[in-house]
Amino acid sequence: MLNVIIFGPPGSGKGTQSELIIAKYGLYHISTGEILRQEIKKQTELGAVADEYIKTGQLIPDELIIKILADVLDANLGAKGFIFDGFPRTIAQGKALDQLLSEKNTSIIAVLNLAVDEEELLNRLIKRGEESGRTDDDPVVIQKRLEVYRNQTEPLKEFYKKKGKLFTIKGNNSIEDVFEKIAEVLDRLSFQAK
Ligand code: AMP
C-alpha cells in the first residue's frame, strides 16, 4: 500500500494537493476534518460533540478521532493506499496510526510537509472563509487553529524526521509546482511501498 500523510498548518494547501495526489495515484482520501463536518451536517451525536471543538479551533480528543480513523481504515482495506489529510495532529495520534497500520502489515511511506509562511496562511484562510462558510475560517478562530498547530501538531515533524519519512516542500509556489515536487517524492518512493 502507498500510504501518505499530507501535513502542514491550516491553509497550507493540504486539501488541494490531496485531490491531485488522488487523481494521479488512486489513493483513498481520509480527511478527518471532512468526516467531522459531514457528521455536523447530518446532526449526529458525534457531530454535536465535534462542533463544540471545531468552532473554537480546538482539537477533538485523541481517543475519539483515533476510533473514527480506525473504523474508516477497516472499512476500506481494499484501497491501493491511503492519503491522510488532517490526521495525525498530535504525537499520540501519530503513534496510534503507526500501530493501526502495522497491524495491517503496512506503514506510512512519506509525510509531505507543506511549508507556507504565516502571512500567506492568514491571507488564504481569510479568503477561504469568505467563500467556504466554514465556521472555523473566522479571524479569531484562525489564530487559535494556528496556535494549536504550533503547540500540538508541529512536534510531529520531528517525530517523522527521526524516522526518515519527512519531506518538506515549499507550499508558497503555484499549485502545479507544489504538486510536481510531491510527485517526484512519491514516484521515487512508491517502489518501497508494501
Ligand atoms: P481540518 O478540515 O483538517 O482543518 O479540520 C477542521 C477541524 O476539525 C480542526 O480544527 C479540529 O477541530 C477538527 N479535527 C480534524 N482532524 C482532527 C484530528 N486529527 N484531531 C483532532 N481534531 C481534528
Side-chain angles (χ1 to χ4, degrees):
M1 282 181 127
L2 185 68
N3 300 313
V4 179
I5 296 173
I6 187 98
F7 189 85
S12 56
K14 299 191 293 292
T16 305
Q17 293 299 329
S18 293
E19 283 173 24
L20 297 173
I21 294 170
I22 293 157
K24 177 157 184 189
Y25 298 93
L27 307 182
Y28 186 88
H29 189 204
I30 303 184
S31 160
T32 43
E34 203 44 56
I35 293 171
L36 297 170
R37 281 187 289 278
Q38 288 301 324
E39 294 292 325
I40 295 172
K41 215 165 160 187
K42 288 190 272 175
Q43 300 187 324
T44 62
E45 216 171 294
L46 168 62
V49 174
D51 194 33
E52 290 304 310
Y53 292 93
I54 292 182
K55 68 185 182 201
T56 56
Q58 319 257 14
L59 296 184
I60 271 77
D62 284 334
E63 215 182 73
L64 190 56
I65 200 86
I66 290 167
K67 169 82 175 73
I68 294 170
L69 187 100
D71 290 346
V72 181
L73 283 184
D74 283 339
N76 294 283
L77 284 179
K80 259 171 77 177
F82 294 100
I83 175 145
F84 297 96
D85 168 5
F87 188 98
R89 264 179 156 96
T90 63
I91 298 279
Q93 292 179 22
K95 289 183 177 165
L97 182 59
D98 278 352
Q99 175 66 30
L100 287 167
L101 292 176
S102 80
E103 284 165 11
K104 296 172 192 354
N105 233 342
T106 184
S107 60
I108 291 294
I109 195 135
V111 178
L112 304 164
N113 172 37
L114 302 178
V116 178
D117 57 59
E118 189 135 324
E119 199 186 317
E120 171 75 11
L121 290 176
L122 283 171
N123 288 339
R124 287 186 190 179
L125 288 166
I126 289 168
K127 186 155 169 264
R128 186 172 80 184
E130 288 161 3
E131 294 159 4
S132 73
R134 272 177 59 164
T135 55
D136 57 350
D137 280 343
D138 137 290
V140 176
V141 184
I142 288 170
Q143 288 294 350
K144 180 69 194 169
R145 286 163 64 210
L146 289 173
E147 184 193 315
V148 166
Y149 172 79
R150 280 192 294 269
N151 294 335
Q152 296 181 255
T153 306
E154 214 167 16
L156 279 165
K157 280 201 240 171
E158 201 48 42
F159 178 79
Y160 287 112
K161 197 173 167 191
K162 282 196 194 128
K163 297 174 188 281
K165 291 186 175 170
L166 189 75
F167 297 84
T168 296
I169 292 149
K170 206 161 164 277
N172 280 51
N173 300 336
S174 72
I175 292 174
E176 294 75 23
D177 283 354
V178 174
F179 182 63
E180 201 180 306
K181 295 277 174 328
I182 288 178
E184 267 171 40
V185 173
L186 294 184
D187 289 344
R188 192 151 34 89
L189 295 179
S190 52
F191 72 94
Q192 294 175 8
K194 62 165 185 177

